[in-house]
Amino acid sequence: MATLYDLKGNYEKVYQLAEDGTFDPETMRDTLDSLTDAIEDKAIGYVKVTKQMDFDIASIDAEIKRLSERKASYTKNRDFLKKTLAEAMQETGNERFKTPLFTIYTIHTKSVVVPEDPKKLPPEFIKTRFAVDKAGVKKALKAGRDVPNARLVENTSLGVR
């Protein structure tokens, strides 16, 4: 069976022969009908494969979600156990244990606590991040406004019902 690439090439050959005038209209119509039928069959096959891939992607997404939830649970439990052990060691004055399997010790660090509202801090400690407002640029371009270094691009995608 011909590939989609081959079928597209055959279309071009038929049109080239039609331009040359070497093809009679009835033969050309029959040839184009057969090519159209072949491309339609290919399209159905392609869509079947993409539908299966959509199903597989959804299954993978569900598995990723399940594993992410499981990971979060393990992480939460691990953090709880480590915190509980560190607190117990600190409260009992046992800051270090050396065993044949592990050396277990507490680490003292300093962290910063800041207010939720950045306006409560001096401006020198605030980071500003710039981002492009694509929706705003698109709206301006559609309204006919000239936006330097930006343009609307028409994309083509496949729709299947």
mmCIF file of all heavy atoms in Angstrom, residues 110-152:
data_model
loop_
_atom_site.group_PDB
_atom_site.id
_atom_site.type_symbol
_atom_site.label_atom_id
_atom_site.label_comp_id
_atom_site.label_asym_id
_atom_site.label_seq_id
_atom_site.Cartn_x
_atom_site.Cartn_y
_atom_site.Cartn_z
ATOM 1 N N LYS A 110 20.289 28.027 59.669
ATOM 2 C CA LYS A 110 19.466 29.215 59.829
ATOM 3 C C LYS A 110 18.678 29.417 58.545
ATOM 4 O O LYS A 110 19.211 29.275 57.447
ATOM 5 C CB LYS A 110 20.335 30.440 60.101
ATOM 6 C CG LYS A 110 21.053 30.371 61.428
ATOM 7 C CD LYS A 110 21.804 31.659 61.684
ATOM 8 C CE LYS A 110 22.722 31.490 62.864
ATOM 9 N NZ LYS A 110 22.199 31.834 64.115
ATOM 10 N N SER A 111 17.412 29.759 58.703
ATOM 11 C CA SER A 111 16.583 30.066 57.544
ATOM 12 C C SER A 111 15.916 31.415 57.770
ATOM 13 O O SER A 111 15.880 31.930 58.881
ATOM 14 C CB SER A 111 15.528 28.976 57.320
ATOM 15 O OG SER A 111 14.679 28.878 58.438
ATOM 16 N N VAL A 112 15.408 31.980 56.717
ATOM 17 C CA VAL A 112 14.801 33.307 56.769
ATOM 18 C C VAL A 112 13.290 33.168 56.716
ATOM 19 O O VAL A 112 12.755 32.430 55.896
ATOM 20 C CB VAL A 112 15.276 34.166 55.580
ATOM 21 C CG1 VAL A 112 14.609 35.526 55.582
ATOM 22 C CG2 VAL A 112 16.776 34.299 55.600
ATOM 23 N N VAL A 113 12.622 33.888 57.580
ATOM 24 C CA VAL A 113 11.169 33.955 57.557
ATOM 25 C C VAL A 113 10.812 35.368 57.106
ATOM 26 O O VAL A 113 11.271 36.347 57.690
ATOM 27 C CB VAL A 113 10.571 33.659 58.953
ATOM 28 C CG1 VAL A 113 9.064 33.800 58.928
ATOM 29 C CG2 VAL A 113 10.980 32.270 59.418
ATOM 30 N N VAL A 114 10.024 35.471 56.038
ATOM 31 C CA VAL A 114 9.636 36.768 55.497
ATOM 32 C C VAL A 114 8.111 36.852 55.434
ATOM 33 O O VAL A 114 7.434 35.834 55.400
ATOM 34 C CB VAL A 114 10.236 37.002 54.091
ATOM 35 C CG1 VAL A 114 11.747 37.074 54.142
ATOM 36 C CG2 VAL A 114 9.799 35.920 53.132
ATOM 37 N N PRO A 115 7.590 38.058 55.410
ATOM 38 C CA PRO A 115 6.131 38.191 55.310
ATOM 39 C C PRO A 115 5.624 37.727 53.947
ATOM 40 O O PRO A 115 6.356 37.761 52.955
ATOM 41 C CB PRO A 115 5.892 39.691 55.495
ATOM 42 C CG PRO A 115 7.192 40.348 55.196
ATOM 43 C CD PRO A 115 8.260 39.340 55.491
ATOM 44 N N GLU A 116 4.375 37.303 53.906
ATOM 45 C CA GLU A 116 3.760 36.870 52.644
ATOM 46 C C GLU A 116 3.685 38.027 51.658
ATOM 47 O O GLU A 116 3.870 37.844 50.464
ATOM 48 C CB GLU A 116 2.349 36.336 52.909
ATOM 49 C CG GLU A 116 2.305 35.026 53.659
ATOM 50 C CD GLU A 116 2.523 33.838 52.748
ATOM 51 O OE1 GLU A 116 2.193 33.925 51.559
ATOM 52 O OE2 GLU A 116 3.036 32.833 53.248
ATOM 53 N N ASP A 117 3.390 39.233 52.156
ATOM 54 C CA ASP A 117 3.233 40.407 51.316
ATOM 55 C C ASP A 117 4.595 41.055 51.083
ATOM 56 O O ASP A 117 5.196 41.602 52.002
ATOM 57 C CB ASP A 117 2.282 41.395 51.981
ATOM 58 C CG ASP A 117 1.994 42.614 51.122
ATOM 59 O OD1 ASP A 117 2.444 42.646 49.958
ATOM 60 O OD2 ASP A 117 1.318 43.530 51.620
ATOM 61 N N PRO A 118 5.116 41.026 49.839
ATOM 62 C CA PRO A 118 6.440 41.594 49.579
ATOM 63 C C PRO A 118 6.514 43.106 49.825
ATOM 64 O O PRO A 118 7.592 43.646 50.041
ATOM 65 C CB PRO A 118 6.700 41.288 48.109
ATOM 66 C CG PRO A 118 5.530 40.577 47.584
ATOM 67 C CD PRO A 118 4.530 40.410 48.670
ATOM 68 N N LYS A 119 5.380 43.782 49.821
ATOM 69 C CA LYS A 119 5.372 45.236 50.050
ATOM 70 C C LYS A 119 5.805 45.597 51.470
ATOM 71 O O LYS A 119 6.139 46.738 51.751
ATOM 72 C CB LYS A 119 3.977 45.801 49.780
ATOM 73 C CG LYS A 119 3.574 45.710 48.326
ATOM 74 C CD LYS A 119 2.166 46.204 48.120
ATOM 75 C CE LYS A 119 1.731 45.969 46.682
ATOM 76 N NZ LYS A 119 0.322 46.291 46.495
ATOM 77 N N LYS A 120 5.812 44.616 52.344
ATOM 78 C CA LYS A 120 6.218 44.857 53.736
ATOM 79 C C LYS A 120 7.741 44.817 53.892
ATOM 80 O O LYS A 120 8.246 45.011 54.989
ATOM 81 C CB LYS A 120 5.561 43.839 54.664
ATOM 82 C CG LYS A 120 4.050 44.000 54.748
ATOM 83 C CD LYS A 120 3.441 43.009 55.712
ATOM 84 C CE LYS A 120 1.940 43.215 55.812
ATOM 85 N NZ LYS A 120 1.307 42.245 56.706
ATOM 86 N N LEU A 121 8.456 44.528 52.807
ATOM 87 C CA LEU A 121 9.920 44.504 52.824
ATOM 88 C C LEU A 121 10.449 45.694 52.021
ATOM 89 O O LEU A 121 9.778 46.188 51.117
ATOM 90 C CB LEU A 121 10.446 43.207 52.205
ATOM 91 C CG LEU A 121 10.240 41.933 53.003
ATOM 92 C CD1 LEU A 121 10.655 40.729 52.172
ATOM 93 C CD2 LEU A 121 11.010 41.963 54.297
ATOM 94 N N PRO A 122 11.675 46.124 52.297
ATOM 95 C CA PRO A 122 12.279 47.194 51.496
ATOM 96 C C PRO A 122 12.418 46.751 50.034
ATOM 97 O O PRO A 122 12.651 45.569 49.755
ATOM 98 C CB PRO A 122 13.653 47.397 52.135
ATOM 99 C CG PRO A 122 13.539 46.821 53.493
ATOM 100 C CD PRO A 122 12.523 45.724 53.419
ATOM 101 N N PRO A 123 12.284 47.685 49.073
ATOM 102 C CA PRO A 123 12.332 47.341 47.646
ATOM 103 C C PRO A 123 13.613 46.634 47.205
ATOM 104 O O PRO A 123 13.598 45.867 46.246
ATOM 105 C CB PRO A 123 12.216 48.692 46.931
ATOM 106 C CG PRO A 123 11.734 49.652 47.946
ATOM 107 C CD PRO A 123 12.045 49.087 49.297
ATOM 108 N N GLU A 124 14.715 46.853 47.896
ATOM 109 C CA GLU A 124 15.977 46.223 47.503
ATOM 110 C C GLU A 124 15.941 44.700 47.619
ATOM 111 O O GLU A 124 16.766 44.003 47.034
ATOM 112 C CB GLU A 124 17.130 46.784 48.341
ATOM 113 C CG GLU A 124 17.019 46.419 49.828
ATOM 114 C CD GLU A 124 18.029 47.135 50.692
ATOM 115 O OE1 GLU A 124 17.713 48.235 51.157
ATOM 116 O OE2 GLU A 124 19.128 46.572 50.877
ATOM 117 N N PHE A 125 14.963 44.167 48.370
ATOM 118 C CA PHE A 125 14.869 42.719 48.554
ATOM 119 C C PHE A 125 13.758 42.083 47.707
ATOM 120 O O PHE A 125 13.414 40.929 47.921
ATOM 121 C CB PHE A 125 14.643 42.391 50.029
ATOM 122 C CG PHE A 125 15.764 42.865 50.907
ATOM 123 C CD1 PHE A 125 15.565 43.903 51.807
ATOM 124 C CD2 PHE A 125 17.017 42.292 50.825
ATOM 125 C CE1 PHE A 125 16.593 44.350 52.615
ATOM 126 C CE2 PHE A 125 18.058 42.734 51.621
ATOM 127 C CZ PHE A 125 17.850 43.770 52.517
ATOM 128 N N ILE A 126 13.218 42.831 46.762
ATOM 129 C CA ILE A 126 12.137 42.331 45.920
ATOM 130 C C ILE A 126 12.698 42.055 44.528
ATOM 131 O O ILE A 126 13.344 42.903 43.927
ATOM 132 C CB ILE A 126 10.986 43.373 45.820
ATOM 133 C CG1 ILE A 126 10.515 43.812 47.207
ATOM 134 C CG2 ILE A 126 9.829 42.812 44.989
ATOM 135 C CD1 ILE A 126 10.028 42.705 48.098
ATOM 136 N N LYS A 127 12.438 40.868 44.015
ATOM 137 C CA LYS A 127 12.838 40.505 42.658
ATOM 138 C C LYS A 127 11.657 40.770 41.729
ATOM 139 O O LYS A 127 10.515 40.464 42.048
ATOM 140 C CB LYS A 127 13.201 39.019 42.557
ATOM 141 C CG LYS A 127 14.496 38.651 43.224
ATOM 142 C CD LYS A 127 14.798 37.188 42.971
ATOM 143 C CE LYS A 127 16.087 36.770 43.637
ATOM 144 N NZ LYS A 127 16.376 35.349 43.398
ATOM 145 N N THR A 128 11.951 41.326 40.566
ATOM 146 C CA THR A 128 10.929 41.577 39.565
ATOM 147 C C THR A 128 11.212 40.688 38.370
ATOM 148 O O THR A 128 12.343 40.605 37.907
ATOM 149 C CB THR A 128 10.941 43.057 39.122
ATOM 150 O OG1 THR A 128 10.788 43.874 40.277
ATOM 151 C CG2 THR A 128 9.825 43.342 38.162
ATOM 152 N N ARG A 129 10.162 40.048 37.874
ATOM 153 C CA ARG A 129 10.316 39.156 36.733
ATOM 154 C C ARG A 129 9.487 39.708 35.576
ATOM 155 O O ARG A 129 8.311 40.034 35.744
ATOM 156 C CB ARG A 129 9.834 37.750 37.090
ATOM 157 C CG ARG A 129 10.100 36.719 36.044
ATOM 158 C CD ARG A 129 9.666 35.354 36.507
ATOM 159 N NE ARG A 129 8.226 35.286 36.609
ATOM 160 C CZ ARG A 129 7.456 34.546 35.824
ATOM 161 N NH1 ARG A 129 7.989 33.793 34.912
ATOM 162 N NH2 ARG A 129 6.158 34.539 35.980
ATOM 163 N N PHE A 130 10.089 39.827 34.414
ATOM 164 C CA PHE A 130 9.392 40.317 33.239
ATOM 165 C C PHE A 130 8.885 39.132 32.431
ATOM 166 O O PHE A 130 9.581 38.127 32.282
ATOM 167 C CB PHE A 130 10.328 41.157 32.363
ATOM 168 C CG PHE A 130 10.718 42.458 33.009
ATOM 169 C CD1 PHE A 130 11.940 42.584 33.648
ATOM 170 C CD2 PHE A 130 9.860 43.538 32.996
ATOM 171 C CE1 PHE A 130 12.312 43.765 34.246
ATOM 172 C CE2 PHE A 130 10.219 44.728 33.600
ATOM 173 C CZ PHE A 130 11.442 44.847 34.230
ATOM 174 N N ALA A 131 7.659 39.265 31.929
ATOM 175 C CA ALA A 131 7.072 38.221 31.088
ATOM 176 C C ALA A 131 6.250 38.897 29.992
ATOM 177 O O ALA A 131 5.702 39.973 30.196
ATOM 178 C CB ALA A 131 6.196 37.283 31.914
ATOM 179 N N VAL A 132 6.162 38.259 28.849
ATOM 180 C CA VAL A 132 5.403 38.802 27.732
ATOM 181 C C VAL A 132 3.922 38.473 27.920
ATOM 182 O O VAL A 132 3.566 37.337 28.218
ATOM 183 C CB VAL A 132 5.908 38.194 26.394
ATOM 184 C CG1 VAL A 132 5.046 38.652 25.237
ATOM 185 C CG2 VAL A 132 7.361 38.563 26.169
ATOM 186 N N ASP A 133 3.084 39.473 27.738
ATOM 187 C CA ASP A 133 1.636 39.287 27.777
ATOM 188 C C ASP A 133 1.185 38.923 26.367
ATOM 189 O O ASP A 133 0.799 39.786 25.576
ATOM 190 C CB ASP A 133 0.960 40.567 28.275
ATOM 191 C CG ASP A 133 -0.553 40.473 28.276
ATOM 192 O OD1 ASP A 133 -1.093 39.363 28.095
ATOM 193 O OD2 ASP A 133 -1.200 41.531 28.447
ATOM 194 N N LYS A 134 1.255 37.634 26.026
ATOM 195 C CA LYS A 134 0.935 37.191 24.669
ATOM 196 C C LYS A 134 -0.513 37.487 24.307
ATOM 197 O O LYS A 134 -0.813 37.851 23.169
ATOM 198 C CB LYS A 134 1.224 35.700 24.509
ATOM 199 C CG LYS A 134 2.686 35.377 24.384
ATOM 200 C CD LYS A 134 2.864 33.915 24.023
ATOM 201 C CE LYS A 134 4.315 33.583 23.764
ATOM 202 N NZ LYS A 134 4.473 32.175 23.351
ATOM 203 N N ALA A 135 -1.420 37.334 25.271
ATOM 204 C CA ALA A 135 -2.827 37.612 24.987
ATOM 205 C C ALA A 135 -3.017 39.090 24.644
ATOM 206 O O ALA A 135 -3.772 39.428 23.717
ATOM 207 C CB ALA A 135 -3.691 37.223 26.181
ATOM 208 N N GLY A 136 -2.350 39.966 25.358
ATOM 209 C CA GLY A 136 -2.435 41.397 25.080
ATOM 210 C C GLY A 136 -1.844 41.752 23.726
ATOM 211 O O GLY A 136 -2.407 42.562 22.978
ATOM 212 N N VAL A 137 -0.705 41.146 23.379
ATOM 213 C CA VAL A 137 -0.070 41.387 22.078
ATOM 214 C C VAL A 137 -0.990 40.903 20.962
ATOM 215 O O VAL A 137 -1.196 41.593 19.962
ATOM 216 C CB VAL A 137 1.315 40.695 21.995
ATOM 217 C CG1 VAL A 137 1.877 40.764 20.592
ATOM 218 C CG2 VAL A 137 2.282 41.306 22.994
ATOM 219 N N LYS A 138 -1.585 39.729 21.131
ATOM 220 C CA LYS A 138 -2.485 39.174 20.119
ATOM 221 C C LYS A 138 -3.688 40.090 19.910
ATOM 222 O O LYS A 138 -4.079 40.376 18.777
ATOM 223 C CB LYS A 138 -2.956 37.776 20.544
ATOM 224 C CG LYS A 138 -3.848 37.094 19.537
ATOM 225 C CD LYS A 138 -4.232 35.706 20.022
ATOM 226 C CE LYS A 138 -5.111 34.983 19.026
ATOM 227 N NZ LYS A 138 -5.483 33.639 19.518
ATOM 228 N N LYS A 139 -4.252 40.579 20.998
ATOM 229 C CA LYS A 139 -5.412 41.470 20.929
ATOM 230 C C LYS A 139 -5.044 42.755 20.180
ATOM 231 O O LYS A 139 -5.798 43.226 19.327
ATOM 232 C CB LYS A 139 -5.902 41.789 22.343
ATOM 233 C CG LYS A 139 -7.173 42.569 22.401
ATOM 234 C CD LYS A 139 -7.627 42.752 23.846
ATOM 235 C CE LYS A 139 -8.885 43.582 23.927
ATOM 236 N NZ LYS A 139 -9.310 43.783 25.316
ATOM 237 N N ALA A 140 -3.874 43.325 20.487
ATOM 238 C CA ALA A 140 -3.432 44.552 19.830
ATOM 239 C C ALA A 140 -3.208 44.327 18.339
ATOM 240 O O ALA A 140 -3.607 45.157 17.508
ATOM 241 C CB ALA A 140 -2.152 45.064 20.493
ATOM 242 N N LEU A 141 -2.577 43.221 17.976
ATOM 243 C CA LEU A 141 -2.332 42.922 16.566
ATOM 244 C C LEU A 141 -3.644 42.717 15.807
ATOM 245 O O LEU A 141 -3.794 43.170 14.673
ATOM 246 C CB LEU A 141 -1.421 41.699 16.424
ATOM 247 C CG LEU A 141 0.041 41.902 16.827
ATOM 248 C CD1 LEU A 141 0.774 40.569 16.850
ATOM 249 C CD2 LEU A 141 0.738 42.882 15.892
ATOM 250 N N LYS A 142 -4.598 42.020 16.436
ATOM 251 C CA LYS A 142 -5.896 41.805 15.797
ATOM 252 C C LYS A 142 -6.630 43.126 15.586
ATOM 253 O O LYS A 142 -7.393 43.262 14.644
ATOM 254 C CB LYS A 142 -6.754 40.855 16.633
ATOM 255 C CG LYS A 142 -6.412 39.403 16.453
ATOM 256 C CD LYS A 142 -7.398 38.537 17.194
ATOM 257 C CE LYS A 142 -7.252 37.082 16.800
ATOM 258 N NZ LYS A 142 -8.263 36.249 17.453
ATOM 259 N N ALA A 143 -6.415 44.080 16.491
ATOM 260 C CA ALA A 143 -7.062 45.390 16.387
ATOM 261 C C ALA A 143 -6.365 46.269 15.351
ATOM 262 O O ALA A 143 -6.783 47.406 15.126
ATOM 263 C CB ALA A 143 -7.071 46.076 17.753
ATOM 264 N N GLY A 144 -5.293 45.781 14.746
ATOM 265 C CA GLY A 144 -4.608 46.523 13.709
ATOM 266 C C GLY A 144 -3.440 47.368 14.196
ATOM 267 O O GLY A 144 -2.833 48.100 13.433
ATOM 268 N N ARG A 145 -3.121 47.256 15.451
ATOM 269 C CA ARG A 145 -2.024 48.034 16.024
ATOM 270 C C ARG A 145 -0.691 47.412 15.627
ATOM 271 O O ARG A 145 -0.558 46.186 15.558
ATOM 272 C CB ARG A 145 -2.183 48.056 17.537
ATOM 273 C CG ARG A 145 -1.190 48.941 18.235
ATOM 274 C CD ARG A 145 -1.540 49.080 19.694
ATOM 275 N NE ARG A 145 -0.322 49.413 20.431
ATOM 276 C CZ ARG A 145 -0.149 49.130 21.704
ATOM 277 N NH1 ARG A 145 -1.093 48.551 22.385
ATOM 278 N NH2 ARG A 145 0.976 49.456 22.294
ATOM 279 N N ASP A 146 0.305 48.257 15.376
ATOM 280 C CA ASP A 146 1.637 47.772 15.038
ATOM 281 C C ASP A 146 2.408 47.525 16.331
ATOM 282 O O ASP A 146 2.588 48.434 17.137
ATOM 283 C CB ASP A 146 2.367 48.804 14.178
ATOM 284 C CG ASP A 146 3.757 48.319 13.784
ATOM 285 O OD1 ASP A 146 3.899 47.112 13.500
ATOM 286 O OD2 ASP A 146 4.690 49.143 13.778
ATOM 287 N N VAL A 147 2.827 46.284 16.524
ATOM 288 C CA VAL A 147 3.628 45.921 17.698
ATOM 289 C C VAL A 147 4.995 45.480 17.170
ATOM 290 O O VAL A 147 5.098 44.440 16.511
ATOM 291 C CB VAL A 147 2.970 44.787 18.517
ATOM 292 C CG1 VAL A 147 3.823 44.429 19.721
ATOM 293 C CG2 VAL A 147 1.563 45.170 18.948
ATOM 294 N N PRO A 148 6.044 46.278 17.425
ATOM 295 C CA PRO A 148 7.367 45.933 16.899
ATOM 296 C C PRO A 148 7.810 44.535 17.331
ATOM 297 O O PRO A 148 7.589 44.117 18.471
ATOM 298 C CB PRO A 148 8.286 46.998 17.516
ATOM 299 C CG PRO A 148 7.379 48.123 17.868
ATOM 300 C CD PRO A 148 6.058 47.506 18.205
ATOM 301 N N ASN A 149 8.387 43.809 16.396
ATOM 302 C CA ASN A 149 8.948 42.466 16.623
ATOM 303 C C ASN A 149 7.901 41.398 16.948
ATOM 304 O O ASN A 149 8.252 40.326 17.428
ATOM 305 C CB ASN A 149 10.008 42.483 17.726
ATOM 306 C CG ASN A 149 11.145 43.405 17.413
ATOM 307 O OD1 ASN A 149 11.664 43.389 16.308
ATOM 308 N ND2 ASN A 149 11.504 44.246 18.357
ATOM 309 N N ALA A 150 6.628 41.704 16.686
ATOM 310 C CA ALA A 150 5.568 40.718 16.927
ATOM 311 C C ALA A 150 4.705 40.616 15.681
ATOM 312 O O ALA A 150 4.539 41.588 14.943
ATOM 313 C CB ALA A 150 4.723 41.123 18.131
ATOM 314 N N ARG A 151 4.178 39.435 15.430
ATOM 315 C CA ARG A 151 3.299 39.243 14.281
ATOM 316 C C ARG A 151 2.348 38.097 14.571
ATOM 317 O O ARG A 151 2.629 37.234 15.418
ATOM 318 C CB ARG A 151 4.101 38.970 13.023
ATOM 319 C CG ARG A 151 4.975 37.731 13.092
ATOM 320 C CD ARG A 151 5.863 37.629 11.853
ATOM 321 N NE ARG A 151 6.948 36.707 12.020
ATOM 322 C CZ ARG A 151 6.856 35.370 11.940
ATOM 323 N NH1 ARG A 151 5.712 34.819 11.691
ATOM 324 N NH2 ARG A 151 7.910 34.600 12.106
ATOM 325 N N LEU A 152 1.223 38.092 13.889
ATOM 326 C CA LEU A 152 0.272 36.989 13.993
ATOM 327 C C LEU A 152 0.666 35.915 12.991
ATOM 328 O O LEU A 152 1.007 36.236 11.844
ATOM 329 C CB LEU A 152 -1.156 37.462 13.689
ATOM 330 C CG LEU A 152 -1.859 38.260 14.766
ATOM 331 C CD1 LEU A 152 -3.214 38.757 14.263
ATOM 332 C CD2 LEU A 152 -2.054 37.439 16.022
#
